Amino acid sequence: MLLVAETRTLKLPLKLIRATSTIRFVTNPFSLFNFCYSTCAESEEQEKNKKELTHNLFLHDISKTMATNLNDYKIIKEGEAEILMHAKNEVFYNKAQVNNRDISIAVLRTFISKRKQEHEANLSKRAKGAPKAPENDSSEMVVEEVDNKTPPEDHKSNGKCELEEEISPDESCTTMDDSVKINEECDADEEKIDHSEGKGQREMKPPRVLEALSASGLRALRYAREIEGIGQVVAVDNDQASVEACRRNIKFNGSVAASKVESHLADARVYMITNPKEFDVVDLDPYGSPSVFLDSAVQSVADGGMLMCTATDMAVLCGGNGEVCYSKYGSYPLRGKYCHEMALRIVLASIESHANRYKRYIVPVLSVQMDFYLRVFVRIYTSASAMKNTPLKLSYVYQCTGCDSFHLQPIGRTIAKNTSVRYLPGYGPVVPQECTDCGKKFNMGGPIWSAPIHDQEWVASILADVKHMKTSYPAYDRISAVLTTISEELPDVPLFLSLHNLCATLKCTSPSAIIFRSAVINAGYRISGTHVNPLGLKSDAPMEVIWDIMRCWVKNHPVKAQPADQPGSIILAKEPVLQANFARAVASLSKAQAKKVARFLPNPERHWGPKLRAGRTITSKHVSLLGQEAINGVLNNHEEDNNEEPKS
C-alpha cells in the first residue's frame, strides 16, 4: 500500500514540471502562433529532409561500424517495411513468402477487430449479469468478480499489468489523504479500474505478438508498421547473424519499429515454454517442419489467442515419406489428389493433439495451401470439458487402391441422454475389406482433422478488409483470389474428388465441370470447388451417386472395351441406380465464376518457390531454385572477393 503511494507521489513532481513548462511556453501566445504557422508551412519539406537525413546517417553509421562494405547489402522493400539484406545468404529471405506475410497481416487485422468485439460483448454480458450490491460493499464485489473471471497473469501477460491492479479500489483510494488528488493527475492509461461505473473491468490491451523464428525480422517489422492497434512484437531467433540483422533492420525502419519491435537471441522452444500464455499471437514460420515447435507454441498462446503456423515440408506431408510424416505429426498420409488438403488436416490434427495435453483445444479460422507450403490460423482455448470433443473432430481415411473412392471413419461418437452426454468410440468399420465399386483393397491413412478448417465468417471479414485496403497488400491479386475461392468452399466436406481422375479410371472423355456440377445439384446434393486444386470438387454426395453419374455420362459417350479385371470395367459393368440429369443448374457456377473473377493465378515470375537455407554456399547446382542470373551474380562476387584477398 505504501509502495503504491510512494510511486504515485514520485509521479507528481513530473506532472508539475510538465504543467510549469506548458505555462511558460503559453505565456507568449504570439510566439506560439508564429511557431505553428511556420511549422505548417514547412512541414512536408522538413519531414522529407528529416527522412533523408536519418536514412543517410544510418547508412553512414552502418558503413563505419560493419566490417564489410555497404555495397554488399541491398535494400528490400515490402509493404511499409525495408530491410538490408547481405548478398552472401547470411540470413534467410524468400520473396515468394510475400503471399504468406500479406495473408497473415490480413488475418491479424481481423483478429484485432474480433478480439475487441468479443471483449465488449463480455463486458456488456457481465454488466447485465452482475448482482446489485450495497454501495458500501460494491468495491469488494468488484474485486471478487475480477478475481473469479479473469485468469491470473504476471507482469508480462498480454503485455500489461499495473501495480495498482494488485490493490483493491478501496485500498488505492484510502492509502493517503491526498491519494485521490494524485490519482486525478495520473495518466488515463495507468488507471485500470473504472471507479465511476464501479465495474472494475481492466481495459483491453493491444495484442502481444511473438515471431518465434524471425530471421531478418521482415515479418515482425511489417506487423509493427502496418497493423493498427498492435502491441509489442517480439522477434526471436537462435542464430547470431539473424539477430544482428534483425536489430539492424529495426533501427533502419525508424522510431515506430524501434518502439514496438524487440529482438532476442534465444531458442524459440525454450523461450515459448518459459513464457506460458503470455502472447496473444504466436507466429511459426520455420524452414521445413514446425513439429518440434508445436508443443511449446500451444503453451505460449494466451487463452483465445491465435497460433499461425507454416509448414514447408510438403513432400513429407503429401505421402512421399509416410513413415517420416507419422513420426513428426502422428498421422499417416495418403497419395491421393486431395493430398494437399490432407496435409492441412494432418497439421491441424497434430496441433490439436499437442493442445489437448494441456487441457486446451483449437478452433481453425483459416487454412491455406498455396505455392510450396501450407499455412494454418487457429485460435486456442482452455477447457477440459470442450477438449472431450476432440475425437469427434478426427477421422481415419480409407482410400481405394483401384478407383477414386474414399471413406472417412470418425474416431469417436456421442450419445445424448437428457442433459448428459456420453463419449464412446466410433462405429466401424465403414468399409469392407474390398471396395464395393471396383473390388480392390483399401489403404488407410490418418487420423486427420475432419471438422471444418475455415470459419466462413472470418473468411468474409478478412476478404472484405483485403479489398478495402488493397493498396496495403503487395500480393493483393493472389491473396484475394485465394480468399475468394475459400469463401465458396463447402466448409463441412473433408477432402475432394478430381473429375479428371474419375474419367481416367473409366477411360472416358471428361464432362465439363459445369455439366458434372449440374448433375450433382440436380441429384439433390451440394458441390463446390476447392482452393487447393483448380480441378478439385467438394461434394457431400456419396461415392455411389458419383459413380452413377459417371455411368450415365459414359452411356451417352461410349468408351472402348477394356479388360474385364480393370477397375473401370468393373464399375461400368453395374447398372446405375440413379438416373443423372445433366441439365444445367442455376448454382452450377459460383458467384466468382459467374463474375469471371480470377481464382487461380500464375506465379508472378520464374523460380517462384523455395529458396536455399541461410548459411549455405550458393553454387551452380542451385540454379533450379534461384535462376541462372542470380547464380552468375553470386559466383562473380565470390571471384572478386578471392581476387581482392591477396592484395590486402
Side-chain angles (χ1 to χ4, degrees), residues 48-83:
K48 184 178 180 181
N49 293 336
K50 278 184 180 180
K51 190 173 182 181
E52 292 180 357
L53 180 61
T54 304
H55 188 267
N56 293 334
L57 287 174
F58 181 78
L59 293 177
H60 178 69
D61 179 62
I62 284 194
S63 63
K64 291 177 66 177
T65 56
M66 290 176 17
T68 55
N69 191 349
L70 188 60
N71 294 329
D72 294 337
Y73 291 81
K74 63 177 180 179
I75 299 175
I76 295 175
K77 180 176 175 59
E78 185 179 293
E80 295 183 13
E82 294 181 334
I83 61 171

Side-chain angles (χ1 to χ4, degrees), residues 116-136:
K116 184 178 179 181
Q117 294 173 9
E118 291 169 0
H119 179 72
E120 292 173 351
N122 288 336
L123 289 183
S124 62
K125 185 178 179 181
R126 290 182 183 183
K128 292 178 181 178
K132 293 183 179 179
E135 293 183 0
N136 55 351

Side-chain angles (χ1 to χ4, degrees), residues 28 90 157 222 274 279 359 377 424 459 477 520 549 564 572:
N28 188 355
E90 291 182 349
S157 284
R222 288 197 63 188
T274 52
F279 294 97
K359 297 182 180 180
F377 302 85
L424 300 171
V459 174
D477 292 337
V520 174
I549 292 173
L572 292 176

Side-chain angles (χ1 to χ4, degrees), residues 523-543:
Y525 298 95
R526 297 175 298 153
I527 190 169
S528 75
T530 172
H531 78 282
V532 173
N533 190 328
L535 302 176
L537 294 171
K538 284 178 169 288
S539 178
D540 59 351
M543 289 306 303

Side-chain angles (χ1 to χ4, degrees), residues 234-255:
V234 180
V236 175
D237 207 295
N238 66 345
D239 179 58
Q240 183 67 42
S242 297
V243 174
E244 291 175 358
C246 184
R247 291 173 179 172
R248 182 168 61 243
N249 292 327
I250 291 171
K251 294 179 181 178
F252 189 62
N253 279 266
S255 59

Side-chain angles (χ1 to χ4, degrees), residues 219-277:
R219 187 184 297 264
L221 291 169
R222 288 197 63 188
Y223 289 168
R225 297 197 59 173
E226 299 181 31
I227 301 176
E228 184 179 355
I230 201 167
Q232 183 188 31
V233 182
V234 180
V236 175
D237 207 295
N238 66 345
D239 179 58
Q240 183 67 42
S242 297
V243 174
E244 291 175 358
C246 184
R247 291 173 179 172
R248 182 168 61 243
N249 292 327
I250 291 171
K251 294 179 181 178
F252 189 62
N253 279 266
S255 59
V256 174
S259 63
K260 288 189 176 182
V261 185
E262 60 182 59
S263 179
H264 297 284
L265 177 64
D267 188 318
R269 294 167 293 182
V270 177
Y271 191 89
M272 289 187 290
I273 206 169
T274 52
N275 292 274
K277 297 185 179 181

